[in-house]
Amino acid sequence: MQRRIALVAAAAAAVVAGALAVAGPAAPGAAAATSGGVRIAYYDQWSIYQNAYYLKNVDAIAGNLDYLLYDFENIDPNNLTCFEATKATTPDPGGESDPNAGDGAEDQFADYQKTFGSDISVDGSADTWNQPIAGNFHQLQELKARHPNLKVLLSIGGWTYSKYFSDAAATDASRKKFVSSCLDMFIKGNIPASGGYGGPGTAAGIFDGIDIDWEYPGSPTGHVGNHYSAADTANYTALLAEFRSELDALGGKHYALSAALPGGQDKIAKLQTDKIGQYLDFGNAMTYDMHGAWDATGPTNFQDPLYPSPNDPSGTIPPGTEKYTIDSVVKDYLHGSSAYGIAGGFPASKLTLGIPFYYRGWTGVPAGPNHGLYQAASGPSAGHPLSGNVPGVAMYKELSGVVDNPADTYWDPVTQSAWFYDGTNFYGGSSAQSIRARTDYIHCTGLGGAMMFSLYDLDPGSTLFHAVVDGLAASTPNCSAPPPTTPTTPTTPTTPTTPTTPTTPTTPPTTTTTPPSIPAWAPNTAYAVGAKVTYNGVTYTCRQAHTSLVGWEPPNVPALWLAS
């Protein structure tokens, strides 16, 4: 979720400035997510500015959502508590180089002071001067009234606002202080009175729980200037335990607790993956931003490859041999990795797969042998206004004629990922086909569902959102376990190969049936769906038509070959 600062700085700063002028046993409260079908999406606080994406827009799709995560609130650098204020983030290019970009920043105006006219409000009624709260919080009240099954969680942190998590989680006392302040403000609704709105209890009942987006515990790879410590690993678990305990103590209903979980082995290794799941209703793996224009001259690559490819020129993640892929991330959460010191043990039914609704791109990309894929570039793709004019980032609706043009859309059957190339610009991101591959993966791996980041990026038709919802609702045939790493013994045929009569032949049969020969896998060979090959003593069935290349041996590409 690294785009957060750029969008706030570029889209919200001017509007906000104008507003200023006028471990233990499993926790009983943590219920497992339903396997395969949970639908989660983030709604960005700053969507109401130049993007003009209001909660009224969400109303049309809210019936297909289980959880809406409202992001992000910040941590007070002085008191290490949740707070409300109106102060824009530092508007340098993306805020990435300013270690203090998020200090004290907040958008109280967007949360509960901005008034909405009847044309942009959820229920079609205009805000009035004497109502308790306005802003997005009141629009969430209207949205929940229309969709009573929708759960809304308050998300704390994000890329820019994670600086002080380490400090807030450092001791038992600081954790209790931080958690109680967040619940008092956002669950009990005691937001500060300001600008004619707010006050004790005025925001009660809006939020059904808390989402923690700490990027990243114990790691120097977050926003420049973030505080971190080796103690973060244990303290992160303790912080989630404290949230779970205090949410349960509220009584009256079950309050959900979720967390955005990192999508790289170097960062996953800093988590107690075998302990944190007991406190969470679900954990949202940020399985995107794996490649992007921070590698300014490429090579171009997918931002969310599902499986590895032998053609991927990127390096491995030290100290192991894995590259950034969704499959490796999921397996490490579930099963661990000795190379990276990851314990595994996170419940599959509580893990959701992150699906991006934005694109990462480069420009000056030659076609090369494969339509711009894995090619050098002259630099990041041009910025776009609604994406904060940040180079290398764009929304679906900002790439009209590219991501919605079949002639510019390409598919890699090995990584099960899409890319888009118009002869100069290359973008990695979601397509209907890549989304269906990921929802199939969710079903076949027994994951809880999908997390979508974020609704801010949707086009008027909500194209990518509907692809996720439809994919989660669809059945997935032919799920299978990953191919075995060692040859297996062929199973005994169910049909006898010897005649059933007579039971004891007195003379040798005059004819015999020879099983058809299964050819060995070979490169530079076209294979159709259903074709069978052998490789190292194992029989594989082709799952998707393709022409095999060197490096695409069946064990390397489970997306193409199913072990018998």
Side-chain angles (χ1 to χ4, degrees):
M1 302 181 185
Q2 297 181 8
R3 301 176 310 137
R4 189 249 183 268
I5 176 65
L7 298 175
V8 171
V15 180
V16 172
L20 280 168
V22 266
T34 303
S35 179
V38 176
R39 303 158 299 182
I40 303 162
Y42 278 85
Y43 177 82
D44 303 331
Q45 177 190 61
W46 58 95
S47 299
I48 60 175
Y49 296 122
Q50 67 192 71
N51 193 28
Y53 187 84
Y54 306 108
L55 285 159
K56 179 182 179 66
N57 301 96
V58 179
D59 180 45
I61 59 175
N64 287 317
L65 272 176
D66 298 298
Y67 292 90
L68 184 68
L69 278 51
Y70 180 81
D71 61 300
F72 293 103
E73 302 297 337
N74 200 0
I75 300 171
D76 187 333
N78 300 309
N79 300 316
L80 301 179
T81 59
C82 279
F83 75 113
E84 280 280 3
T86 299
K87 175 183 178 295
T89 51
T90 304
D92 67 271
E96 304 297 341
S97 60
D98 183 353
N100 305 309
D103 285 9
E106 251 301 345
D107 197 349
Q108 188 179 44
F109 174 76
D111 283 349
Y112 62 94
Q113 293 177 359
K114 173 181 168 58
T115 55
F116 285 71
S118 59
D119 59 325
I120 57 173
S121 72
V122 171
D123 68 1
S125 63
D127 289 337
T128 60
W129 65 271
N130 60 345
Q131 64 191 53
I133 57 173
N136 286 331
F137 284 7
H138 181 55
Q139 294 302 303
L140 286 170
Q141 290 175 323
E142 293 185 355
L143 188 70
K144 291 184 68 174
R146 292 170 63 87
H147 303 277
N149 294 325
L150 177 67
K151 304 300 182 186
V152 180
L153 307 188
L154 188 283
S155 186
I156 305 168
W159 179 250
T160 312
Y161 290 169
S162 288
K163 181 175 180 178
Y164 293 101
F165 264 124
S166 180
D167 307 273
T171 68
D172 181 66
S174 66
R175 290 189 292 270
K176 284 182 167 59
K177 178 182 178 182
F178 175 60
V179 173
S180 63
S181 74
C182 298
L183 270 54
D184 181 72
M185 184 167 288
F186 297 116
I187 303 297
K188 298 177 182 179
N190 297 320
I191 55 177
S194 180
Y197 299 97
T202 54
I206 296 174
F207 297 107
D208 302 290
I210 298 292
D211 175 64
I212 300 299
D213 188 0
W214 180 349
E215 300 183 24
Y216 304 98
S219 174
T221 57
H223 191 287
V224 61
N226 278 8
H227 296 182
Y228 65 94
S229 161
D232 290 348
T233 296
N235 290 341
Y236 178 68
T237 303
L239 180 65
L240 296 180
E242 185 63 32
F243 266 106
R244 180 74 275 154
S245 176
E246 293 197 30
L247 285 168
D248 288 347
L250 293 174
K253 60 181 279 187
H254 172 73
Y255 290 94
L257 178 64
S258 65
L261 301 176
Q265 285 77 355
D266 50 333
K267 297 177 282 290
I268 300 171
K270 306 296 185 181
L271 307 182
Q272 295 176 327
T273 54
D274 56 337
K275 296 180 180 180
I276 59 177
Q278 64 184 311
Y279 305 114
L280 298 172
D281 289 79
F282 46 88
N284 302 313
M286 292 183 281
T287 42
Y288 40 72
D289 291 343
M290 294 179 176
H291 299 284
W294 45 86
D295 297 323
T297 58
T300 60
N301 212 321
F302 304 104
Q303 75 148 312
D304 60 340
L306 182 55
Y307 293 107
S309 169
N311 297 321
D312 179 359
S314 63
T316 58
I317 308 167
T321 59
E322 295 179 6
K323 297 188 178 186
Y324 286 115
T325 71
I326 293 173
D327 184 55
S328 65
V329 167
V330 170
K331 286 177 178 174
D332 286 343
Y333 272 110
L334 303 187
H335 309 301
S337 168
S338 58
Y340 291 98
I342 298 171
F346 194 92
S349 65
K350 290 186 177 185
L351 187 66
T352 70
L353 200 69
I355 297 177
F357 282 176
Y358 59 94
Y359 298 82
R360 293 201 173 274
W362 292 262
T363 193
V365 180
N370 206 14
H371 306 288
L373 179 61
Y374 302 141
Q375 295 298 300
S378 63
S381 57
H384 295 266
L386 298 182
S387 298
N389 289 310
V390 177
V393 179
M395 302 179 192
Y396 183 97
K397 61 188 173 186
E398 292 177 314
L399 296 178
S400 177
V402 180
V403 296
D404 56 355
N405 183 355
D408 293 338
T409 303
Y410 299 92
W411 175 252
D412 180 24
V414 180
T415 63
Q416 296 279 284
S417 303
W419 80 95
F420 308 87
Y421 179 66
D422 63 6
T424 300
N425 299 294
F426 174 103
Y427 290 94
S430 297
S431 71
Q433 189 173 12
S434 74
I435 287 173
R436 182 55 189 267
R438 281 145 187 75
T439 56
D440 285 348
Y441 182 90
I442 288 167
H443 294 151
C444 294
T445 316
L447 303 185
M451 174 270 283
M452 297 164 264
F453 193 83
S454 74
L455 299 183
Y456 181 96
D457 302 289
L458 288 178
D459 63 298
S462 301
T463 302
L464 300 179
F465 175 86
H466 289 302
V468 174
V469 170
D470 292 347
L472 290 176
S475 61
T476 300
N478 303 321
C479 285
S480 65
T485 55
T486 57
T488 58
T489 303
T491 56
T492 303
T494 57
T495 303
T497 57
T498 56
T500 56
T501 58
T503 56
T504 306
T506 57
T507 58
T510 57
T511 60
T512 57
T513 301
T514 303
S517 175
I518 299 176
W521 175 87
N524 303 313
T525 302
Y527 290 104
V529 174
K532 293 183 180 297
V533 299
T534 59
Y535 187 83
N536 285 348
V538 180
T539 298
Y540 293 88
T541 303
C542 180
R543 306 177 72 171
Q544 182 168 313
H546 68 283
T547 299
S548 277
L549 303 177
V550 172
W552 289 19
E553 289 82 351
N556 296 339
V557 283
L560 298 181
W561 294 102
L562 173 65
S564 300

